[in-house]
Amino acid sequence: MSPRKDIEAVERANTAFYETLERGDFEELSDLWLSATVAGDTGISCVHPGWPVLSGRGEVLRSYALIMANTEYIQFFLTDVKAVVLGDTALVTCTENILSGGPAEESGELGPLVGQLVVATNVFRRTSEGWRLWSHHGSPVLAESGDEEPDEA
């Protein structure tokens, strides 16, 4: 496959990861991660913003099941997406502009929507089934970046 086609395929896999989260499709999400056969028992990892490192397919997938069970609505707007492919490994960095809402309130209405900015690194491996997630690391953006000068005292 050509380098450009590899990058396009990795970008599609990255997009599929976020679209699957938005739909709350746990089975499809599971299929997007490396299998235990390929990665070994502890071969995949995940860091959600504010969480410790999760290692192993079972632990990582349980975390997504928990997130999906407690998130009524989530939408990702990805910006600053950059993909690099080196052999059978690919690295994607991006900014996740997240809009989410918790479980419905007693009135049946969706809980309040919350916006969050997260920078993410997704590592993929090429398999016979296509590109699969090997590692995801998300870190919250705590401060706006910019060229503003700090206030002088």
Side-chain angles (χ1 to χ4, degrees):
M1 196 176 272
S2 74
R4 181 74 224 146
K5 293 220 183 275
D6 275 343
I7 287 176
E8 289 170 0
V10 168
E11 288 173 342
R12 282 192 303 275
N14 193 65
T15 299
F17 170 60
Y18 290 101
E19 288 176 350
T20 301
L21 282 169
E22 288 178 348
R23 285 192 309 276
D25 186 335
F26 182 76
E27 279 192 41
E28 188 175 331
L29 181 80
S30 298
D31 290 343
L32 295 174
W33 283 87
L34 278 176
S35 69
T37 311
V38 173
D41 290 337
T42 59
I44 68 173
S45 67
C46 179
V47 178
H48 298 293
W51 292 38
V53 176
L54 304 174
S55 296
R57 188 172 163 79
E59 196 170 294
V60 169
L61 292 179
R62 273 191 295 281
S63 75
Y64 282 102
L66 182 64
I67 290 168
M68 288 177 176
N70 290 290
T71 305
E72 190 76 21
Y73 173 84
I74 192 163
Q75 189 169 13
F76 295 88
F77 300 94
L78 302 181
T79 56
D80 308 315
V81 179
K82 294 178 182 70
V84 177
V85 176
L86 295 171
D88 290 337
T89 304
L91 178 73
V92 179
T93 57
C94 61
T95 301
E96 303 170 353
N97 301 270
I98 306 168
L99 185 61
S100 63
E105 297 177 355
E106 287 182 26
S107 64
E109 293 182 23
L110 181 65
L113 292 177
V114 177
Q116 185 178 12
L117 204 58
V118 172
V119 290
T121 301
N122 297 316
V123 181
F124 293 85
R125 288 294 308 261
R126 187 192 319 262
T127 71
S128 58
E129 290 84 36
W131 291 96
R132 296 293 183 258
L133 265 166
W134 187 6
S135 181
H136 168 80
H137 187 130
S139 296
V141 176
L142 301 177
E144 290 292 318
S145 63
D147 297 327
E148 300 99 29
E149 292 292 320
D151 291 337
E152 291 187 29

